[in-house]
């Protein structure tokens, strides 16, 4: 079987399931439907504003989504699928478990229960258009909308298009990029954007040392399929020096047709001269579990545990699960030095959307020195996993797309023990005065 | 057409449609139990690693294994408990299995018309039967860089792609030599570019944009950047170098 056929079959299978699932649920009373109220829900008055806010950035011509949702004519044929995808919280892509740990995030695109109820009610009612006078003005899209981190201050790209053959083994080219930066700058946010997302498994970017010396190499950022961007908390940043050259560790895979990619990296900088107090750190956490990965053929709910010790007190600023096609969910738990445990976050995993969940500053976990971060990964190697490339075979740790992984990219900045105590005291005081805030 | 046949396709499709609902949702309260790391008594999983193209248009299916025991190495003779099928049960597989994961251990060649068939490696250890299904599915295609990346880490990829196995080129030798007269052999050991750039594992392996670093000379006759000459004076009465036929 060729990849082309496999991909195509998979696409049709998923599409069939989505459509059928939509059909099977249309007409049924969905959770939260009553919350939409008793009045008629129309596209122009109720649904279009939701689509503009949460969907159209991707669902518009020239963007990454397969269909446009700009107009009623665009959206109407997809009403049932839209209902299915939003009511199961498959869309907008945001897979955090809302019943666990931290609940406040930066740039959370997910819909409220009320918004979901409106869409469900609209689809159930036959997707009425409504009064054209209620239609909000079309959303204006600037180039900035193409970047999850907002309009970048600076963009670099790989020197030339990289050609990925229609068929072949996975490919890991190392590509050097001269940033041509003329002054030192502190990074507030960074995002990697392949021009063709379907062939790019990951991009790990490193800043080479002075004069391109690999010996002084430092981590810059990581991208995996569908990732948004790393946004550091106010006052935390990562220095990129003038003249820095980057090493981009690319991972391409073939998809049955020749594809050309020219990956870019966008930066949002702090103002010139501003020196953030904190150094933003991003690192693999729980990788130790990966070497133990043992995912039997055909098995679902296979658990793997990995641990990383935080040598210093820290404020955890982001959680990005990393698995491959068989990834199902991942959790990060803090095991404190006093052996108390706290589950910080769990998220369902979708290989096509390797999202980073950036914690809101007033909810970001504070951990003392010596805390163990415990990464719990769950894989599904059964035939029931429609993205599984080969359920007949065992799967373990490896770098290919067809192999598996089980770790998390965690972001944080270090605190001194005194700073940690002060932050905890401030957080407790805030909680005491604000009953509506929780994490 | 019977009722069962008539509705079977719809039942199948219906099951497919409902499948994501029943399997997609798992939350923290439903986490599976933690795995216990056991030193002995566990099974060994044969692992299909992928396939390679051979110059003669045949293919090699590459296998490894995962010995689930953290301490116990196990011997399993080729036979009913360690066999390939179809065809020859012995395809060069190991008969001693070290603990834990051992990648890319051996190749089993299949003909160029292998097509969609599967080559199955079965291991029965500690009462448990495990199988690996080797095939030529495109997603399993291997390359040298895939193996290097998985075994040695990504930073060595660029070097590895240029690196080649060592070889020895010996200049023509006299067709005959008198016993006890001694013989001088001259030749060269080509040094791949990658060997001259090699850095420690984990460091970057970028193509150099600047001048090529100087190579440490191996002998006074080493002049060419890509060909290091040697001279071997053999003692009287015997040769100390095995020279392959040219």
């Amino acid at each position: 079987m060729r990849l082309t056929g496999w991909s195509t079959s998979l696409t049709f299978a998923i599409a069939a399931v989505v459509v059928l699932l939509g059909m099977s649920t249309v007409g049924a009373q969905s959770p939260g439907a009553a919350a939409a109220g008793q009045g008629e829900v129309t596209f122009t008055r109720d649904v279009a504003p939701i689509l503009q806010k949460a969907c159209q950035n991707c669902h518009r011509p020239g963007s990454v989504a397969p269909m446009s949702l700009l107009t009623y004519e665009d959206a109407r044929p997809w009403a049932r699928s839209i209902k299915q995808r939003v009511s199961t919280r498959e869309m907008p892509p945001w897979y955090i478990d809302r019943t666990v740990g931290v609940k406040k995030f930066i740039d959370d695109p997910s819909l409220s229960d009320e918004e979901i109820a409106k869409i469900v009610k609209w689809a159930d009612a036959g997707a009425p258009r409504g009064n054209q006078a209620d239609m909000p003005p079309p959303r204006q899209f600037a180039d900035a909308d193409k970047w999850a981190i907002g309009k970048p201050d600076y963009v670099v790209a790989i020197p030339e298009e990289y050609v990925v053959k229609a068929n072949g083994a996975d490919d890991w080219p190392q590509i050097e990029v001269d940033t041509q930066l003329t002054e030192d700058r502190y990074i507030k946010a960074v995002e990697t954007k392949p021009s063709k997302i379907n062939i790019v498994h990951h991009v790990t970017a490193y800043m080479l040392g002075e004069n391109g010396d690999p010996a002084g190499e430092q981590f810059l950022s990581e991208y995996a399929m569908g990732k948004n961007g790393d946004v550091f908390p106010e006052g935390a940043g990562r220095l990129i020096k003038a003249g820095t050259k980057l090493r981009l560790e690319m991972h391409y895979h073939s998809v049955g047709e020749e594809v050309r990619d020219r990956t870019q990296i966008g930066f949002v900088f702090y103002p010139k001269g501003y020196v953030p107090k904190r150094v933003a750190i991003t690192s693999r956490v729980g990788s130790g579990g990966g070497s133990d990965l043992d995912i039997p053929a055909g098995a679902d709910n296979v658990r793997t545990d990995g641990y990383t010790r935080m040598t210093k007190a820290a404020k955890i600023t982001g959680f990005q699960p990393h698995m491959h096609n068989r990834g199902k969910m991942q959790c990060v738990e803090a095991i404190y030095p006093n052996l108390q445990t706290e589950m910080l976050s769990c998220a369902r995993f979708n290989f096509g959307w390797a999202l980073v969940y950036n914690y809101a500053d007033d909810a970001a976990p504070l951990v003392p020195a010596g805390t163990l971060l415990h990464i719990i990964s769950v894989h599904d190697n059964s035939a029931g996993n429609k993205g599984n490339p080969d359920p007949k075979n065992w799967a373990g740790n490896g770098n290919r797309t067809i192999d598996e992984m089980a770790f998390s990219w965690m972001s944080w900045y270090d605190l001194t023990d005194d700073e940690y105590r002060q932050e905890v005291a401030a957080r407790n005081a805030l909680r005491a005065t604000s009953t509506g805030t929780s994490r | 057409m019977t009722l069962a046949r008539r509705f079977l396709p719809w039942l199948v499709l219906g099951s497919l449609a409902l499948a994501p609902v029943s399997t997609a949702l798992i939350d923290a309260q439903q986490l599976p139990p933690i795995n216990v790391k056991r030193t002995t008594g566990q099974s060994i999983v044969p692992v299909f690693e992928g396939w390679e193209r051979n110059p003669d248009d045949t293919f090699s299916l590459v296998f490894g294994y995962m010995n689930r025991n953290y301490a116990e190495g196990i011997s399993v003779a080729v036979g009913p408990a360690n066999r390939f099928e179809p065809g020859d049960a012995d395809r060069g597989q190991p008969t001693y299995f070290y603990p834990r994961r051992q990648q890319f251990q051996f190749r089993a060649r299949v003909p160029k018309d292998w097509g969609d068939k599967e080559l199955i490696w079965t291991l029965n250890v500690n009462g448990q039967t495990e199988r690996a299904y080797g095939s030529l599915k495109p997603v399993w295609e291997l390359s040298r860089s895939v193996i290097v990346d998985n075994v040695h880490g990504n930073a060595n990829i660029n070097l590895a792609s240029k690196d080649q196995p060592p070889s020895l080129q010996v200049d023509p030798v006299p067709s005959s030599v008198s016993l006890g007269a001694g013989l001088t052999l001259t030749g060269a050991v080509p040094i791949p570019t990658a060997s001259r750039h090699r850095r420690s594992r984990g460091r970057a392996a970028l193509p150099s944009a600047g001048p090529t670093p100087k190579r440490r000379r191996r002998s006074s006759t080493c002049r060419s950047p890509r060909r290091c000459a040697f001279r071997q004076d053999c003692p009287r009465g015997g040769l100390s170098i095995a020279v392959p036929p040219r």
Side-chain angles (χ1 to χ4, degrees):
Chain A
M1 187 190 301
R2 304 185 68 76
L3 181 61
T4 316
W6 176 80
S7 297
T8 307
S9 302
L10 180 63
T11 304
F12 278 112
I14 291 172
V17 169
V18 166
V19 170
L20 283 166
L21 191 53
M23 291 170 67
S24 70
T25 53
V26 167
Q29 184 68 24
S30 303
Q38 300 304 311
E40 184 188 34
V41 175
T42 69
F43 180 84
T44 54
R45 187 184 62 213
D46 304 293
V47 175
I50 299 172
L51 299 183
Q52 287 189 350
K53 181 192 79 169
C55 311
Q56 290 181 355
N57 196 43
C58 295
H59 286 276
R60 61 186 166 107
S63 194
V64 295
M67 83 290 278
S68 170
L69 297 178
L70 291 182
T71 66
Y72 178 75
E73 286 71 22
D74 289 339
R76 174 64 186 87
W78 298 99
R80 290 174 174 176
S81 290
I82 294 170
K83 171 192 166 181
Q84 185 270 324
R85 300 301 290 271
V86 302
S87 61
T88 56
R89 292 196 176 276
E90 288 294 314
M91 283 284 160
W94 189 259
Y95 307 117
I96 206 79
D97 186 332
R98 292 158 181 270
T99 67
V100 172
V102 182
K103 296 182 175 63
K104 288 180 68 180
F105 298 87
I106 298 170
D107 296 331
D108 176 353
S110 57
L111 301 181
S112 67
D113 290 343
E114 183 182 17
E115 289 169 325
I116 292 174
K118 281 184 180 176
I119 288 176
V120 169
K121 189 170 183 180
W122 171 70
D124 288 348
R129 177 194 294 269
N131 188 342
Q132 189 60 31
D134 294 335
M135 187 73 179
R139 179 178 167 181
Q140 300 301 309
F141 298 99
D143 280 348
D145 286 319
K146 294 180 179 175
W147 294 85
I149 58 173
K151 184 179 180 182
D153 296 312
Y154 200 74
V155 177
V156 298
I158 61 176
E160 55 190 28
E161 285 185 332
Y162 194 84
V163 180
V164 178
K165 294 183 295 186
N167 291 293
D170 287 19
D171 191 11
W172 289 271
Q174 308 279 318
I175 298 176
E176 189 172 305
V177 177
D178 185 351
T179 64
Q180 300 184 342
L181 268 175
T182 56
E183 56 189 344
D184 294 358
R185 297 300 297 263
Y186 280 93
I187 302 166
K188 177 74 175 70
V190 57
E191 180 179 348
T192 302
K193 185 177 286 298
S195 60
K196 298 295 181 185
I197 59 172
N198 59 336
I199 55 166
V200 179
H201 176 118
H202 82 231
V203 182
T204 309
Y206 299 90
M207 297 180 283
L208 298 176
E210 200 166 340
N211 299 320
D213 181 8
E217 185 174 279
Q218 293 184 24
F219 177 83
L220 171 64
S221 65
E222 185 272 350
Y223 165 88
M225 193 176 284
K227 180 174 174 178
N228 36 1
D230 292 299
V231 181
F232 306 133
E234 197 61 37
R238 197 166 287 161
L239 175 64
I240 182 167
K241 292 183 176 177
T244 290
K245 291 180 178 175
L246 307 179
R247 176 173 72 91
L248 270 53
E249 181 186 293
M250 311 291 296
H251 177 180
Y252 289 110
H253 51 217
S254 297
V255 293
E257 59 179 336
E258 181 180 292
V259 180
R260 295 167 181 266
D261 170 64
R262 192 160 186 216
T263 287
Q264 296 177 297
I265 298 182
F267 300 92
V268 174
F269 292 135
Y270 280 104
K272 289 181 182 178
Y274 176 85
V275 179
K277 185 179 177 184
R278 312 290 186 187
V279 176
I281 299 167
T282 300
S283 184
R284 293 179 187 222
V285 165
S287 298
S291 59
D292 283 331
L293 261 182
D294 179 358
I295 310 173
D300 188 9
N301 292 328
V302 180
R303 172 172 168 166
T304 306
D305 297 78
Y307 304 84
T308 296
R309 182 174 180 270
M310 303 292 286
T311 56
K312 297 178 180 176
K315 182 179 232 182
I316 310 291
T317 59
F319 164 53
Q320 183 194 332
H322 187 90
M323 296 183 276
H324 293 177
N325 282 297
R326 303 168 189 83
K328 186 169 185 177
M329 73 171 294
Q330 194 173 82
C331 298
V332 54
E333 179 185 54
I335 304 175
Y336 297 115
N338 64 6
L339 299 184
Q340 286 189 333
T341 63
E342 180 179 8
M343 194 67 85
L344 303 179
S345 287
C346 288
R348 282 183 292 147
F349 188 79
N350 181 331
F351 182 61
W353 294 99
L355 301 174
V356 53
Y357 301 98
N358 294 307
Y359 295 123
D361 191 56
D362 61 350
L366 300 163
V367 299
T371 296
L372 279 179
L373 292 183
H374 174 198
I375 304 298
I376 306 164
S377 304
V378 180
H379 288 88
D380 178 1
N381 196 14
S382 73
N385 174 2
K386 302 304 178 190
N388 189 352
D390 193 350
K392 289 177 75 173
N393 272 306
W394 178 92
N397 188 62
N399 294 340
R400 290 176 297 180
T401 300
I402 199 169
D403 299 319
E404 273 304 327
M405 287 191 174
F407 69 87
S408 179
W409 290 99
M410 298 298 296
S411 295
W412 73 86
Y413 60 76
D414 291 335
L415 300 169
T416 66
D417 291 342
D418 282 345
E419 288 171 336
Y420 167 73
R421 283 189 283 271
Q422 291 165 14
E423 290 258 10
V424 170
R427 181 75 59 83
N428 289 338
L430 187 65
R431 282 183 183 166
T433 56
S434 175
T435 54
T437 302
S438 64
R439 77 159 231 225
Chain B
M1 180 184 289
T2 66
L3 268 181
R5 281 193 175 181
R6 188 174 172 187
F7 289 105
L8 185 59
W10 293 105
L11 286 171
V12 171
L13 286 172
S15 302
L16 270 176
L18 292 172
V21 175
S22 59
T23 61
L25 300 178
I26 176 171
D27 60 32
Q29 285 74 41
Q30 299 172 316
L31 282 174
I34 197 166
N35 290 318
V36 177
K37 297 181 176 181
R38 300 183 189 279
T39 53
T40 60
Q42 304 306 297
S43 62
I44 300 173
V45 186
V47 175
F48 175 56
E49 310 279 11
W51 57 267
E52 297 171 327
R53 297 174 195 273
N54 297 319
D56 62 357
D57 292 334
T58 62
F59 300 94
S60 289
L61 306 184
V62 182
F63 293 87
Y65 61 88
M66 172 63 148
N67 179 350
R68 289 189 163 123
N69 300 288
Y70 277 79
E72 183 184 16
I74 298 175
S75 292
V76 188
V78 173
N82 181 4
R83 70 181 190 277
F84 270 92
E85 58 192 336
D88 190 352
D90 185 352
R91 298 271 187 162
Q93 66 266 41
T95 55
Y96 182 81
F97 297 86
Y98 292 92
R100 305 306 293 167
R101 181 80 165 100
Q102 310 296 332
Q103 290 181 285
F104 307 111
Q105 293 296 295
F106 65 99
R107 294 172 168 85
R109 189 176 288 249
V110 296
K112 58 186 176 184
D113 60 352
W114 185 251
D116 294 335
K117 292 197 289 285
E118 290 177 329
L119 184 65
I120 304 168
W121 181 22
T122 301
L123 281 173
N124 187 309
V125 175
N126 286 321
Q128 296 178 66
T129 300
E130 303 279 359
R131 292 185 176 87
Y133 296 85
S135 71
L136 297 178
K137 289 179 182 176
V139 290
W140 285 108
E141 184 173 355
L142 282 172
S143 66
R144 177 172 164 76
S145 66
V146 166
I147 295 173
V148 171
D149 183 85
N150 277 274
V151 175
H152 298 293
N154 187 274
N156 289 316
I157 283 290
N158 279 4
L159 291 179
S161 64
K162 299 172 187 169
D163 209 355
Q164 297 296 325
S167 64
L168 181 67
Q169 298 170 0
V170 180
D171 294 338
V173 296
S175 57
S176 63
V177 61
S178 301
L179 274 175
L183 174 66
T184 297
L185 298 177
T186 58
V189 178
I191 301 176
T193 306
S195 300
R196 295 181 282 119
H197 290 243
R198 191 180 301 284
R199 297 177 187 275
S200 61
R201 181 178 178 182
R203 294 297 184 196
L206 288 170
S208 174
T212 303
K214 288 184 178 176
R215 173 178 48 78
R216 196 179 74 179
R217 291 187 173 180
R218 306 296 172 90
S219 77
S220 60
T221 59
C222 210
R223 295 278 189 267
S224 163
R226 298 193 60 84
R227 181 176 160 92
C228 187
F230 71 84
R231 174 188 171 90
Q232 178 70 48
D233 293 316
C234 300
R236 289 171 185 271
L239 293 175
S240 63
I241 293 182
V243 182
R246 290 174 64 87

